[in-house]
Amino acid sequence: MRSFKSLIVPLIIMVVLVVGVIVYFAVSSSSKEPIQSQSVDLFSAGYADLDSISVKSKDPASPLISVLVKTSDGVAVDFEYNGEDKDPQASYSSYKMSSFVSALMYYYADLISDNVALSEYGLQDPEYKIILTKKNGETSVVNMGDLTTDGSNVYVSLEGTTGVYTVPAIKKEYAAYKGNDFLESQILDLDYSLMESVSFTRKTDGLELKADVKASESSDAPQFRITSPIEKDSSSNFATLMDYVAKLRIMSYVDIPAEELGNYGLADPAFVFTFANKDGSTKKISLSMNMAGYYYGFIDSNKVYFKLSGNEIGLLDAPVLSYMQSYVKYFRASDISVVKGEYKDESFEFSLDVKEDEAISDKTATALLNGRNAQVTNNEGRSYCAMFFESLVCMDIGGLELDAKPVLNDPVCNLTFITSNYQTYLVEFVKRNNDSYYVFINGEYSGYYVYDKVLFNNGGTDTYSYGVWEAYKLLNTAISENRSGVYNIPVDQ
């Protein structure tokens, strides 16, 4: 009797364990997640067998998406977009179509259950039907339903069977593609040789720039000459921005209803680029302001909208002066024959004879200041005539003042640049305030001003920070006091 009682407790424990196991498997079998993965080849096809992949959404408003596979000797050589929303004028990306086909042409899947209610997985009325057609005419349909709870996979089934499987969720992202998602990323490739001018309007600050375009025979990069609001050669910043837009690449196309354009900054775009061709045709690109790291835009007046990454396009909000050459009047030494200057009772004549491939400081170059040899250096080899020339041709523009109406009356000083091909540019400086001057070129107000330092700054021992007249005085002193062509600025100067 005692031995029987001793068996009752272990028996009860065993019964409890068995019941627990039964309950565990019963609960587990009702979950959407697999108890133990069983990988199967639900469907797969090579390029040699595959004719097309089409996707039909359960949304009746969505078009049928279809990509044709073209092969040669069993190798995919090209793809053709053939969806219901195909645009005959559009250029579709073979790379994007290839990625789409590669993602949806095979289904190595994990079995969830072989006999369950499809409705529990979104497969009774699937979100997408993937229609895979082989070259022999055979067709298979993969139904795609809900995502798994962790979002890493999506439930699928093969039409005509009862099994439910999971495949990576990335396939659902490709199934959601529309025709616009296959369009080429580079949507513009404008020909500079056909172009006459470009304009850039920035509504955030009212900036309006216009520039003439001159295609270069020796380079793909054209030259831009800003003609409005002032006349100035463009900077590399302007050229970089124009080239980005002329060769525009986008992140993706976006569907934006007409009533929501304002939400994307496109009802009144912040940036507008217009490329005008010699034949009178134009191409107009409009962009929104930066919206959470993205720009939205469209071309001409069509209703196809796209998105750009704020990391890809820069310089849209750059200071206006950064779009143009920042010097009052820049020349290379070989461009100049003579520079003359007048300030109060002082004057100079700086004569140059510098060949195309020479530097002004080369021993073979000629530089004369008021008839005296200006080839003087310091102990480190820094050329004083080069310093003086740099102060003349690298006078920084201080700012634009387009609405100013200064009168050319009693200029503080003037500089006359005579080029090697006998062109003359008279630059005159009229007082603006205590530390700046309006700039006139050949009698016309330039639209900008300079600060006092470009004319009168004394850099001491720093020969790279001299204004014109202080540089002239230093060179004059170096010519007078040099020993064997060498002069050093006194440390206490």
Side-chain angles (χ1 to χ4, degrees):
M1 187 71 174
R2 180 179 296 175
S3 62
F4 175 75
K5 288 181 178 180
S6 66
L7 291 174
I8 291 178
V9 173
L11 184 61
I12 293 173
I13 294 173
M14 184 177 294
V15 170
V16 171
L17 288 173
V18 169
V19 172
V21 169
I22 293 172
V23 171
Y24 171 78
F25 280 104
V27 171
S28 297
S29 65
S30 67
S31 169
K32 287 187 176 183
E33 307 303 329
I35 299 168
Q36 184 175 4
S37 294
Q38 178 185 345
S39 295
V40 298
D41 183 359
L42 185 62
F43 178 90
S44 61
Y47 285 122
D49 302 319
L50 194 61
D51 182 69
S52 67
I53 295 181
S54 302
V55 180
K56 180 62 179 175
S57 169
K58 74 174 183 179
D59 180 358
S62 293
L64 178 72
I65 305 303
S66 184
V67 173
L68 307 180
V69 181
K70 298 184 178 182
T71 59
S72 176
D73 297 326
V75 178
V77 295
D78 200 5
F79 301 89
E80 179 184 342
Y81 184 68
N82 197 40
E84 292 178 345
D85 57 352
K86 180 179 180 179
D87 181 351
Q89 305 300 319
S91 177
Y92 292 91
S93 168
S94 290
Y95 172 77
K96 291 181 179 180
M97 289 186 284
S98 172
S99 298
F100 171 86
V101 171
S102 297
L104 298 180
M105 70 189 293
Y106 67 91
Y107 296 85
Y108 298 110
D110 290 329
L111 176 65
I112 296 296
S113 177
D114 198 29
N115 190 10
V116 293
L118 296 179
S119 59
E120 292 186 18
Y121 302 89
L123 293 170
Q124 185 68 41
D125 182 21
E127 191 166 353
Y128 299 106
K129 287 181 175 289
I130 318 300
I131 306 161
L132 302 123
T133 304
K134 293 184 177 181
K135 285 182 167 54
N136 63 8
E138 292 181 6
T139 297
S140 297
V141 178
V142 174
N143 295 323
M144 192 169 286
D146 298 336
L147 292 174
T148 56
T149 54
D150 64 0
S152 62
N153 293 288
V154 60
Y155 296 108
V156 297
S157 65
L158 187 62
E159 196 158 285
T161 68
T162 58
V164 173
Y165 307 82
T166 60
V167 293
I170 186 68
K171 292 183 182 293
K172 192 170 186 178
E173 293 182 24
Y174 279 103
Y177 271 28
K178 295 182 179 178
N180 283 345
D181 295 307
F182 296 102
L183 293 174
E184 287 284 3
S185 295
Q186 182 171 354
I187 60 174
L188 281 181
D189 188 8
L190 302 182
D191 188 342
Y192 289 118
S193 67
L194 304 177
M195 209 176 292
E196 182 173 65
S197 66
V198 298
S199 65
F200 170 45
T201 300
R202 186 167 69 191
K203 295 186 179 179
T204 53
D205 62 357
L207 173 65
E208 294 184 10
L209 286 178
K210 186 174 181 180
D212 288 341
V213 181
K214 182 179 180 181
S216 173
E217 296 180 358
S218 59
S219 171
D220 292 336
Q223 295 177 336
F224 297 97
R225 171 74 177 177
I226 294 175
T227 57
S228 178
I230 65 172
E231 289 198 31
K232 208 91 180 84
D233 287 336
S234 74
S235 68
S236 59
N237 284 343
F238 184 81
T240 297
L241 178 59
M242 292 303 112
D243 196 57
Y244 182 92
V245 178
K247 312 293 183 184
L248 189 64
R249 290 183 178 274
I250 66 172
M251 285 184 63
S252 63
Y253 286 90
V254 291
D255 292 324
I256 304 177
E259 63 273 15
E260 295 183 17
L261 289 177
N263 298 335
Y264 291 85
L266 294 179
D268 185 22
F271 308 99
V272 178
F273 300 83
T274 304
F275 295 84
N277 288 329
K278 297 171 184 175
D279 64 1
S281 62
T282 61
K283 183 66 67 176
K284 184 177 178 181
I285 300 90
S286 302
L287 299 177
S288 71
M289 65 183 66
N290 191 317
M291 305 186 73
Y294 299 102
Y295 294 91
Y296 296 89
F298 59 90
I299 297 175
D300 295 326
S301 58
N302 63 33
K303 298 179 181 179
V304 178
Y305 306 104
F306 54 79
K307 180 168 71 173
L308 306 174
S309 169
N311 295 326
E312 293 293 327
I313 183 170
L315 301 171
L316 284 171
D317 291 302
V320 59
L321 283 176
S322 72
Y323 293 130
M324 56 191 70
Q325 192 203 80
S326 61
Y327 302 134
V328 171
K329 202 68 185 173
Y330 180 79
F331 299 95
R332 297 171 301 166
S334 58
D335 296 332
I336 291 295
S337 173
V338 177
V339 182
K340 299 178 181 180
E342 296 181 352
Y343 169 58
K344 295 183 178 179
D345 58 351
E346 295 186 81
S347 65
F348 66 78
E349 183 171 307
F350 188 44
S351 303
L352 301 177
D353 185 3
V354 181
K355 301 297 186 292
E356 184 76 26
D357 57 351
E358 284 183 326
I360 192 173
S361 57
D362 287 351
K363 293 181 179 180
T364 52
T366 299
L368 303 175
L369 181 63
N370 297 332
R372 297 190 297 168
N373 181 17
Q375 295 288 17
V376 183
T377 68
N378 62 16
N379 280 338
E380 285 75 39
R382 170 63 164 155
S383 166
Y384 290 104
C385 72
M387 174 210 68
F388 180 44
F389 183 73
E390 290 162 10
S391 74
L392 290 164
V393 299
C394 297
M395 291 183 289
D396 284 315
I397 296 172
L400 300 182
E401 198 166 302
L402 303 176
D403 295 331
K405 305 291 184 183
V407 177
L408 183 54
N409 183 27
D410 193 22
V412 172
C413 67
N414 65 70
L415 301 169
T416 302
F417 297 87
I418 303 174
T419 68
S420 302
N421 57 1
Y422 309 109
Q423 290 181 303
T424 298
Y425 298 92
L426 174 61
V427 182
E428 298 172 280
F429 302 87
V430 173
K431 193 172 183 63
R432 175 175 175 264
N433 56 31
N434 289 336
D435 68 346
S436 63
Y437 302 89
Y438 291 116
V439 178
F440 286 77
I441 298 178
N442 289 341
E444 298 291 334
Y445 173 50
S446 64
Y448 50 83
Y449 57 88
V450 297
Y451 287 109
D452 184 87
K453 63 183 181 180
V454 304
L455 296 174
F456 305 114
N457 192 61
N458 186 322
T461 57
D462 181 4
T463 59
Y464 292 93
S465 61
Y466 270 75
V468 170
W469 287 98
E470 290 297 320
Y472 158 68
K473 289 194 289 185
L474 178 56
L475 176 56
N476 212 26
T477 299
I479 293 172
S480 299
E481 299 182 11
N482 79 87
R483 296 293 181 266
S484 301
V486 175
Y487 172 79
N488 291 300
I489 303 170
V491 176
D492 59 353
Q493 179 167 327

